[in-house]
Amino acid sequence: MTTLTLDSRARWQAPAWLGPLVVLAVAYGVVPFVGSTYVFDAILTPFLALSLAAVGLNLLTGYAGQLSLGSAAFMAVGAFAAYNFNLRVPGLPLLGSFVLAGLAAAAIGIVFGLPSLRLRGFYLAVSTLAAQFFVQWALTKFSWFSNDNPSGVIDAPALTVLGISFDGPVGRYLFALTIVTALTALAWRLVNTQTGHNFIAVRDNELAAKVIGVPVLRTKLLAFAISSFFVGVAGVLWAFAYLRTVEPAGFNLDRSFQIVFIVIIGGLASIRGAFFGAALLVVFPLVLSRVGSLLLGDRFDSGTLDMCQRIVLGALIIFFLIAEPNGLVALWDRIKARLSPNTQTP
């Protein structure tokens, strides 16, 4: 009897949904009551927005194998589209402007995804830079997008859904958390459908995918559209829930590279990897900033400290990639497997 009990404990494995459920329970039930304004405004809300952007880019790059360096452009399209839908369409619900903004970003994504029909790899990545420069130029050149504001800055509307206001640091965090949770569940479901399998088939071998009947061209454009939808909604969260006021320059090339780094560091073709990578790139610089100011604040100026933080962060990224080239999510799985009793030798 004792042997049977021990065997059943050794063979028990937590279901896949248990981990995300626990994380969500903590995120909704604990964090709002213990977090400070700084934690919500400086860490959690940007973390959620960048995680969603990385989920979107991972669908395109990790699953479908199409490189893109124009993610910030699609974030900008989403932010400015939601602003204009909310401003110019009376009575449109806030979530309706989010959906329309995502669709606007998806339409732009299809246009700039057309080169993927002829280009591959780094050539495609370079071609997507056109989206970055064109969108930023258009938003700066035509003041209509910012309601004729001379500085090009847009202000976020009040976050109200069904009469419930999400203003304040905790409200904006919960609003962003709900949007990110819903879209992440949608992305997870997508990669387990035939569409997701088509993405992987095209990524692994286009010719083989075509032979087995996968519509390669349509699959590529669909990947650009879905990815841009996610990234566009992430741009709305970045503008409405995090910054509250934003200008076109806020969606520059640095932001695009930041999202690419999140995907690579977190792990390609992994929904969880987007959150791991975002946590590293959002939280670590803040931790390094606090530690650097505490230890070296009296000896060096802020510019030197900022450069030291970048060097340390770069070194940490190199270390993590050497330790596990498949990203932090693979490193996490490896550590978890070593700690699991199921892997112990009898």
Side-chain angles (χ1 to χ4, degrees), residues 50-75:
L50 289 176
S51 297
L52 182 59
V55 168
L57 183 62
N58 220 336
L59 290 175
L60 179 68
T61 302
Y63 287 93
Q66 309 301 304
L67 297 179
S68 172
L69 297 178
S71 298
F74 304 125
M75 289 180 72

Side-chain angles (χ1 to χ4, degrees), residues 226-296:
I226 295 175
S227 168
S228 301
F229 180 91
F230 278 72
V231 176
V233 175
V236 187
L237 289 180
W238 186 262
F240 286 12
Y242 172 46
L243 294 177
R244 305 292 295 160
T245 58
V246 67
E247 57 183 339
F251 300 99
N252 55 18
L253 192 57
D254 288 348
R255 189 74 57 213
S256 290
F257 278 114
Q258 185 183 27
I259 299 170
V260 172
F261 292 154
I262 287 174
V263 172
I264 294 174
I265 294 169
L268 287 166
S270 169
I271 300 295
R272 288 181 301 152
F275 292 89
F276 279 78
L280 179 69
L281 288 196
V282 173
V283 176
F284 257 58
L286 295 175
V287 173
L288 290 175
S289 174
R290 289 296 181 95
V291 173
S293 299
L294 185 65
L295 298 179
L296 305 172

Side-chain angles (χ1 to χ4, degrees), residues 187-259:
W188 178 83
R189 181 73 187 102
L190 175 72
V191 298
N192 289 286
T193 63
Q194 185 58 47
T195 301
H197 298 162
N198 289 349
F199 286 175
I200 295 172
V202 170
R203 177 199 65 189
D204 291 344
N205 192 316
E206 283 190 27
L207 182 59
K210 190 180 295 184
V211 169
I212 63 175
V214 175
V216 174
L217 303 183
R218 194 172 66 187
T219 299
K220 285 184 176 181
L221 291 182
L222 185 61
F224 267 98
I226 295 175
S227 168
S228 301
F229 180 91
F230 278 72
V231 176
V233 175
V236 187
L237 289 180
W238 186 262
F240 286 12
Y242 172 46
L243 294 177
R244 305 292 295 160
T245 58
V246 67
E247 57 183 339
F251 300 99
N252 55 18
L253 192 57
D254 288 348
R255 189 74 57 213
S256 290
F257 278 114
Q258 185 183 27
I259 299 170

Side-chain angles (χ1 to χ4, degrees), residues 261-268 270 272-273 276-277 280 315-338:
F261 292 154
I262 287 174
V263 172
I264 294 174
I265 294 169
L268 287 166
S270 169
R272 288 181 301 152
F276 279 78
L280 179 69
L316 284 173
I317 291 172
I318 293 172
F319 168 77
F320 281 127
L321 290 179
I322 291 175
E324 181 51 77
N326 293 323
L328 292 177
V329 68
L331 184 63
W332 170 260
D333 288 341
R334 203 167 62 184
I335 294 173
K336 196 168 64 172
R338 287 186 180 178

